[in-house]
Amino acid sequence: MKVLIIGNGGREHALCWKLKQSQQVTELFSSPGNAGTAQIAQNVSIGIQDVLGLKTWALEHAIDFTVVGPEIPLSLGIVDQFKKAGLSIFGVTQKASQLEASKVFSKKLLQKYRIPTALAQIFNAYDQACDTIASSSVSYPLVIKADGLAQGKGVVICSSAKEAKETLDMLMKQKQFGGAGNSVVIENFLEGEELSYLGLMDGNHFLPLATSQDHKKILEGDQGPNTGGMGAYSPVSWFNDTWEAKIQKEIVNPLLSAFKKEGIEYQGILYIGLLISKGVPYVLEFNVRFGDPEAQVLLCRLQSDLLSVLTATMQGKLNTLQLKWDPRPAVGVVMTSGGYPGAYQTGYEISGLEAVQSLSDVTLFHAGTVLKNGKILTAGGRVLNVVALGETYDKAIQAVYEAVKNIHWKDAYYRKDIGYRVCQKQKLPF
Ligand code: GLY
């Protein structure tokens, strides 16, 4: 089969890498891809927002199956467009993508169907939002979420009314994330343990993936501003069958019946961002695609044929599948350009990649990289992902950091504590 992967991040390189292992894949294309995908697929220079261009290219090149990595083309209706043109594609429809593309939409759905989530109010007007955060009945910290897509950076935990006002200014007045700040959700801050709970949905059946958890903050100890994700691990050590049953009963099943009632045909990845507080799983957010960097650790542990899994999802045949996972933990570290998630420079030459590529049980995924005159240069905020499998979490962590030490460029940055939560005696959420 001729397969096209849309996107250019670490997640898409991991999808390419895993699909390349499938006996059924004869030709692999990546659009627009990065310097890593170029080594295993043919990069096509069409941007992720150019839905019409991608559709025309896929038709002209008789692509058998397309896999959409990021949320933007999903929210632009790429799946609807491809299906209309008779092209097979993995991903959710534009209507279903609202679950991620609009925090207002998802909050209203959660409220309507009484699915556990933080108490929240929705504001379209800056003045009203300001009045609310200044009111004496509001307690801090509280969470302000931009309604629309903001690359993981539109959620701010505010510890004071001053910070909340600055956040509202940034989102609703200065429009740092454009139209994403036209409306905001202001919600109670919940304290507890986060879990990235991902599964495949084929319209009728939900098949959970292995558990994983990302580290969203830029600084060690999970401090500082949010990023797209600084690292991840899989599985999550405290998760067990009791939690699986509880999440299915309290979140997944009500959600599936909500989709039916709302006429949302959901086929693709459903990523439920959960916060477990005092024994209760609350929905923090939804994503309608693989997490990044969760995909990198999950795909390193997945032993089943990815193409069969993705095609079965779109054919409504998930009930015929059982996923096989490497029992060993995987830990992934994201290397970024210095300054990220703020302003950063690009165009720096990266060295040490060959040393990492030769290590066993270590996989290197590119994100913001570009090949220029035979050299691999930085080209984005998140630049590389290094993932290691180990017999234990400690061994995986040791292996990933040994590998990362080989890689250098000017001002490279990475967190030194990815996976620390599984190695310390953490307070468990029950
Ligand atoms: N790792 C969080 C996300 O993919 O949105």
Side-chain angles (χ1 to χ4, degrees):
M1 279 169 88
K2 291 168 82 171
V3 177
L4 167 67
I5 292 124
I6 294 174
N8 61 351
R11 166 185 49 212
E12 288 75 29
H13 187 185
L15 287 166
C16 273
W17 170 82
K18 190 66 195 165
L19 286 165
K20 184 83 179 170
Q21 295 166 20
S22 174
Q23 301 285 324
Q24 303 171 67
V25 175
T26 51
E27 282 184 79
L28 200 54
F29 301 90
S30 174
S31 188
N34 56 38
T37 60
Q39 293 166 9
I40 51 174
Q42 200 174 307
N43 281 357
V44 178
S45 57
I46 305 174
I48 60 168
Q49 311 221 15
D50 185 359
V51 170
L52 188 61
L54 287 162
K55 183 181 77 175
T56 306
W57 188 91
L59 284 168
E60 281 171 6
H61 291 79
I63 295 298
D64 298 299
F65 194 62
T66 298
V67 181
V68 187
E71 59 279 16
I72 288 175
L74 295 170
S75 71
L76 294 173
I78 193 166
V79 169
D80 313 63
Q81 292 292 327
F82 269 50
K83 281 185 174 169
K84 248 189 239 160
L87 290 161
S88 293
I89 185 163
F90 177 84
V92 301
T93 58
Q94 190 166 32
K95 182 169 183 182
S97 78
Q98 285 299 295
L99 225 54
E100 174 168 1
S102 170
K103 300 267 187 247
V104 170
F105 176 90
S106 58
K107 185 57 88 173
K108 283 184 176 165
L109 188 91
L110 290 164
Q111 289 171 336
K112 181 171 174 185
Y113 291 94
R114 298 180 185 279
I115 297 170
T117 184
L119 283 176
Q121 286 186 69
I122 293 160
F123 297 92
N124 305 316
Y126 168 79
D127 290 342
Q128 274 175 358
C130 286
D131 289 348
T132 296
I133 56 146
S135 138
S136 58
S137 60
V138 168
S139 59
Y140 287 88
L142 58 70
V143 184
I144 301 184
K145 296 178 170 178
D147 178 37
L149 296 174
Q151 297 184 310
K153 296 171 221 158
V155 176
V156 183
I157 298 166
C158 305
S159 53
S160 64
K162 180 173 174 286
E163 221 181 303
K165 171 80 169 46
E166 285 164 6
T167 302
L168 289 177
D169 285 352
M170 181 268 285
L171 295 174
M172 299 189 90
K173 276 198 130 173
Q174 293 146 24
K175 300 270 181 185
Q176 195 154 316
F177 300 108
N182 288 346
S183 305
V184 293
V185 176
I186 301 185
E187 68 181 34
N188 283 359
F189 174 78
L190 294 171
E191 199 142 16
E193 195 62 29
E194 282 191 42
L195 173 70
S196 299
Y197 186 80
L198 279 77
L200 293 152
M201 266 289 293
D202 70 1
N204 291 307
H205 314 99
F206 178 84
L207 182 61
L209 302 185
T211 52
S212 59
Q213 183 54 57
D214 63 347
H215 290 270
K216 293 187 178 67
K217 307 280 186 170
I218 187 73
L219 300 175
E220 277 141 32
D222 295 317
Q223 303 293 315
N226 268 345
T227 68
M230 294 300 294
Y233 51 90
S234 171
V236 171
S237 53
W238 55 261
F239 195 81
N240 56 24
D241 289 349
T242 310
W243 277 106
E244 183 76 68
K246 195 173 175 68
I247 292 166
Q248 294 267 338
K249 179 167 172 258
E250 294 176 20
I251 312 271
V252 175
N253 294 342
L255 202 53
L256 299 195
S257 84
F259 288 168
K260 287 244 178 309
K261 288 189 183 126
E262 298 294 320
I264 299 171
E265 283 176 40
Y266 202 106
Q267 287 186 310
I269 286 279
L270 177 62
Y271 170 147
I272 310 176
L274 291 173
L275 189 288
I276 317 283
S277 182
K278 298 186 185 131
V280 179
Y282 293 89
V283 177
L284 284 186
E285 62 171 4
F286 294 112
N287 294 317
V288 296
R289 34 78 193 171
F290 278 105
D292 184 343
E294 289 96 329
Q296 292 85 315
V297 286
L298 287 170
L299 293 171
C300 282
R301 292 190 59 223
L302 182 68
Q303 292 176 328
S304 310
D305 177 80
L306 181 61
L307 187 66
S308 307
V309 171
L310 300 183
T311 50
T313 306
M314 299 315 283
Q315 290 162 358
K317 292 184 181 162
L318 276 182
N319 54 332
T320 63
L321 272 190
Q322 244 188 330
L323 300 176
K324 286 204 198 91
W325 299 97
D326 190 321
R328 293 175 299 166
V331 175
V333 172
V334 173
M335 300 181 74
T336 68
S337 297
Y340 172 85
Y344 55 83
Q345 301 288 317
T346 57
Y348 295 128
E349 185 176 355
I350 306 171
S351 65
L353 298 176
E354 307 74 23
V356 173
Q357 270 155 344
S358 62
L359 297 171
S360 62
D361 289 329
V362 173
T363 312
L364 173 69
F365 297 118
H366 289 234
T369 64
V370 67
L371 186 64
K372 219 172 192 176
N373 303 325
K375 290 178 179 165
I376 294 179
L377 308 179
T378 64
R382 291 193 291 172
V383 176
L384 294 170
N385 304 249
V386 183
V387 179
L389 287 159
E391 291 302 327
T392 61
Y393 289 107
D394 282 327
K395 286 186 178 158
I397 290 169
Q398 197 182 345
V400 78
Y401 281 110
E402 280 301 316
V404 164
K405 269 196 237 157
N406 292 283
I407 304 175
H408 303 278
W409 70 86
K410 189 171 180 294
D411 299 334
Y413 171 79
Y414 58 92
R415 274 180 58 167
K416 316 286 184 298
D417 66 345
I418 299 303
Y420 79 92
R421 298 175 85 82
V422 284
C423 294
Q424 68 185 23
K425 271 203 165 30
Q426 60 179 310
K427 196 167 168 285
L428 297 175
F430 25 80

